[in-house]
C-alpha cells in the first residue's frame, strides 16, 4: 500500500497532537515511513522522544539548530518527502501557510515545500467557524492543498461541534489515497456487507450472525487501492471503514434499493449475508402474547437476490462481480453451481461448518472460483484476504484493459 512512501508529518500545538502518535503507528503499519517536525506548541503536547520512538527517527523541532541543519536541513526534509501532512493543523499554522510566513522550522519547511500537502485541522468550533480561518482554508484548498476533517463531536475544550481532528485511520487513508498510484484509481467499487434484518413487527426481526468483518475489510482495501468505494451495510457493530461512502440499511429490500442507486460501478463485491426470506407482512403493532393461545405463524416471502440482480446482463453490469458462498459441505461443487446460477464472475467459497470459526471470527479460508476453475487460498486474516482479493481484482482489470 504505502510501502516506500515517505510522509513529512508536521505536528502543531493543539490538544489533538497526541493523536499524531496514532497516525504514525497506523501509517507505519501500512508501510509509510515518517519524518516528523514538531512545532514549539506541538512539543508542549507530545515529547520529541515519544514521536521518535514511534516514528523510528529523530523528531525535528529547531530551525536554527546546528545539529539538525547538519544532519537534515529543512530543505532536505521536504525534498525527501512524498507528502507533507500537517496533523493537527492549528488555526495559527493554517494562517501561516495561507500567508506565507516562515518563522519556525514547520512554517519554513512548508514554504520551501513543493510536494502535495494534506492538512487535518483541529480546533475549537468557534475558531473553526471564524471567517478568517475559513478564508485561510479556502485559500489553501484553491492552491491544491487537501483537507481531511475536521469532524463534529465533543471537543477537548468541553464544547460540542465541528473542530475534532479526523480519526487517525481516516487521516492515514486520505494520505494513502494521495500517495497512491492506486491500482484501482479511477474505478468505482460497490460492496455489500453485514446481515440484513427483516422486520416481524416494530420490535422483532429475523436476522443472522454475520459480523460484516469480511465485507468491511474488502471495502477498506478497495478504497486504499484508490477505488471510489461505496459500502452498503446491514447492522453491525463495526465502525465505518475509512475512505468509503457508507449507506446503512436494515432489510434486503433496502439493500437492493441502495445497491441499484449506486450503479453503475466497475467492481461489485457481495459479501453481505442477505436474509433469504422476510415475513410476508410486517405487523404495524407489537404482536401480543395471548394467554394459552397458539403462537403466531409467520408467513415468509423470498427476498430479492441482490448478487443475481447486480450480475444480470445489461448496460449497468459491472466489469467484475464477486459473490461469496458460505457452505457447510461440498464447498467447491456447490459454489461452482452457485456461480453459474447467479451469473457472477468469481465466487469466494468458504466453509462455515461448525468449528471453522469463520462466522464472526478474524480469519477466513476460501476457494476462489472463476470460469477458469477453482483455487484454494491459505487461511488468512480477513484483512489479508481483502488485500489479496483487491490485488487479484487489480490484476484482472488491468489484464482486461490491455
Ligand atoms: O444464495 P446464497 O445466499 O448462498 O449466496 C451467497 C451470495 O449471494 C453472497 O455473495 C451474498 O452476498 C449474495 N446474496 C445476495 N442476495 C441474496 C442472497 C445472497 O446478494 N438475497
Amino acid at each position: 500500500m504505502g510501502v516506500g512512501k515517505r510522509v513529512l508529518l508536521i505536528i502543531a500545538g493543539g490538544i489533538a497532537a497526541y493523536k499524531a502518535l496514532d497516525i504514525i503507528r497506523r501509517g507505519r503499519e501500512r508501510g509509510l515511513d515518517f519524518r516528523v517536525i514538531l512545532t514549539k506548541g506541538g512539543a508542549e503536547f507530545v515529547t520529541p522522544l515519544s514521536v521518535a520512538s514511534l516514528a523510528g527517527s529523530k523528531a525535528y523541532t529547531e530551525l536554527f539548530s546546528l545539529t539538525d541543519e547538519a544532519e537534515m536541513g529543512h530543505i532536505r526534509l521536504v525534498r525527501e518527502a512524498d507528502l507533507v501532512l500537517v496533523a493537527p493543523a492549528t488555526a495559527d499554522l493554517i494562517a501561516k501557510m495561507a500567508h506565507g510566513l516562515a518563522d519556525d522550522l514547520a512554517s519554513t519547511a512548508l514554504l520551501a515545500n513543493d510536494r502535495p500537502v494534506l492538512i487535518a485541522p483541529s480546533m475549537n468550533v468557534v475558531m473553526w467557524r471564524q471567517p478568517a480561518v475559513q478564508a485561510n482554508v479556502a485559500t489553501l484548498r484553491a492552491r491544491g492543498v487537501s483537507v481531511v476533517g475536521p469532524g463534529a463531536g465533543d471537543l477537548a475544550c468541553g464544547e460540542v461541534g465541528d473542530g475534532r481532528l479526523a480519526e487517525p485511520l481516516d487521516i492515514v487513508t486520505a494520505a494513502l489515497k494521495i500517495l497512491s498510484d492506486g491500482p484501482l484509481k479511477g474505478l468505482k467499487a460497490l460492496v455489500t456487507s453485514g446481515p440484513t434484518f427483516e422486520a416481524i413487527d416494530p420490535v422483532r426481526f429475523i436476522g443472522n450472525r454475520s459480523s460484516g468483518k469480511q465485507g468491511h475489510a474488502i471495502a477498506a482495501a478497495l478504497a486504499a487501492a484508490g477505488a471510489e468505494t461505496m459500502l452498503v451495510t446491514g447492522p453491525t457493530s463495526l465502525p465505518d471503514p475509512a475512505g468509503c461512502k457508507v449507506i446503512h440499511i436494515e432489510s434486503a429490500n433496502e439493500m437492493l434499493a441502495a445497491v441499484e442507486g449506486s450503479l453503475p460501478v466497475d467492481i461489485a463485491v457481495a459479501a453481505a449475508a442477505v436474509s433469504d426470506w422476510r415475513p410476508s407482512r410486517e405487523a404495524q403493532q407489537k404482536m401480543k402474547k395471548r394467554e394459552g393461545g397458539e403462537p403466531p405463524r409467520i408467513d415468509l416471502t423470498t427476498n430479492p437476490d441482490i448478487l443475481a440482480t447486480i450480475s444480470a446482463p445489461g448496460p449497468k453490469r459491472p466489469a467484475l462481480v464477486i459473490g461469496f458462498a458460505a457452505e457447510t459441505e461440498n464447498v467447491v461443487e456447490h459454489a461452482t453451481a452457485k456461480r453459474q446460477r447467479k451469473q457472477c464472475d468469481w465466487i469466494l467459497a468458504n466453509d462455515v461448518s461448525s468449528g471453522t470459526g469463520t462466522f464472526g471470527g478474524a480469519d477466513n479460508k476460501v476457494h476462489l472460483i472463476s470460469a477458469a476453475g477453482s483455487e484454494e487460498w491459505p487461511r488468512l486474516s480477513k484483512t489479508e484476504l481483502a488485500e489479496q482479493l483487491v490485488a487479484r481484482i487489480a490484476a484482472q482489470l488491468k489484464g482486461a484493459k490491455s
Side-chain angles (χ1 to χ4, degrees):
M1 266 193 292
V3 177
K5 302 281 184 184
R6 176 169 294 166
V7 174
L8 174 62
L9 172 64
I10 297 179
I11 305 176
I15 180 63
Y18 75 96
K19 291 190 186 169
L21 299 176
D22 205 27
I23 296 173
I24 298 172
R25 197 171 60 87
R26 289 178 178 269
R28 289 193 76 191
E29 279 166 9
R30 285 159 183 76
L32 294 175
D33 179 29
F34 284 88
R35 289 278 185 276
V36 184
I37 294 177
L38 279 166
T39 67
K40 220 183 179 97
E44 296 286 337
F45 288 97
V46 286
T47 69
L49 184 60
S50 36
V51 168
S53 311
L54 281 167
S57 70
K58 180 175 163 49
Y60 297 88
T61 51
E62 299 293 332
L63 180 58
F64 300 111
S65 148
L66 271 183
T67 347
D68 284 1
E69 284 295 318
E71 278 174 22
M72 174 78 70
H74 64 279
I75 303 287
R76 223 177 104 203
L77 268 177
V78 286
R79 290 294 172 274
E80 290 187 354
D82 298 296
L83 171 77
V84 178
L85 168 61
V86 186
T90 54
D92 177 62
L93 191 51
I94 289 171
K96 282 183 179 162
M97 290 171 75
H99 295 279
L101 300 185
D103 63 355
D104 63 1
L105 179 58
S107 53
T108 309
L110 281 161
L111 203 58
N113 171 52
D114 57 359
R115 308 287 144 159
V117 180
L118 172 65
I119 64 169
S122 164
M123 64 197 75
N124 166 272
V125 53
V126 179
M127 287 172 82
W128 172 248
R129 288 186 187 159
Q130 280 301 337
V133 173
Q134 289 300 313
N136 287 338
V137 173
T139 301
L140 294 180
R141 278 189 200 274
R143 290 185 197 144
V145 169
S146 303
V147 182
V148 53
D154 292 334
L155 304 174
C157 53
E159 294 185 11
V160 179
D162 297 333
R164 272 171 73 92
L165 184 73
E167 289 306 317
L169 194 51
D170 289 342
I171 295 173
V172 169
T173 305
L176 286 171
K177 222 171 194 166
I178 296 170
L179 286 167
S180 152
D181 319 311
L184 298 181
K185 207 167 193 163
L187 296 180
K188 282 191 171 182
L190 169 66
V191 180
T192 68
S193 185
T196 64
F197 285 1
E198 310 295 336
I200 297 170
D201 68 13
V203 298
R204 302 180 178 93
F205 61 86
I206 298 174
N208 61 67
R209 296 187 197 281
S210 167
S211 65
K213 281 182 189 159
Q214 187 62 80
H216 279 53
I218 292 169
L222 286 164
E228 189 185 324
T229 305
M230 176 74 79
L231 171 66
V232 180
T233 178
T236 74
S237 57
L238 301 173
D240 290 350
C244 304
K245 285 192 197 127
V246 185
I247 302 179
H248 293 270
I249 54 79
E250 289 212 335
S251 67
N253 273 331
E254 288 166 4
M255 181 171 275
L256 179 64
V259 160
E260 287 183 323
S262 305
L263 296 175
V265 296
D266 302 287
I267 305 149
V269 184
V274 182
S275 173
D276 291 317
W277 309 283
R278 68 175 180 276
S280 305
R281 274 179 315 278
E282 178 184 344
Q284 292 311 302
Q285 307 298 333
K286 184 182 170 196
M287 290 162 70
K288 287 291 192 197
K289 250 189 308 192
R290 274 165 300 161
E291 214 44 59
E294 288 282 304
R297 287 181 174 277
I298 299 171
D299 271 340
L300 297 176
T301 303
T302 302
N303 263 332
D305 191 316
I306 297 164
L307 174 59
T309 309
I310 301 172
S311 302
K316 286 190 177 177
R317 192 200 190 275
L320 188 60
V321 184
I322 302 166
F324 274 77
E327 305 287 350
T328 54
E329 54 174 359
N330 300 333
V331 175
V332 171
E333 194 187 325
H334 285 161
T336 304
K338 191 169 287 177
R339 192 187 80 83
Q340 277 155 4
R341 208 168 53 240
K342 301 214 181 200
Q343 304 188 71
C344 58
D345 300 293
W346 299 350
I347 285 255
L348 291 172
N350 45 5
D351 183 350
V352 293
S353 49
S354 62
T356 58
T358 301
F359 251 47
D363 294 348
N364 209 345
K365 166 108 182 62
V366 299
H367 297 258
L368 173 69
I369 289 156
S370 67
S374 121
E375 213 179 88
E376 188 171 354
W377 285 17
R379 177 165 286 279
L380 295 167
S381 75
K382 288 181 177 174
T383 310
E384 284 166 342
L385 190 138
E387 282 165 5
Q388 296 239 355
L389 178 64
V390 167
R392 281 298 283 269
I393 292 171
Q396 172 75 16
L397 293 180
K398 204 166 153 207
K401 256 191 220 160
S402 55

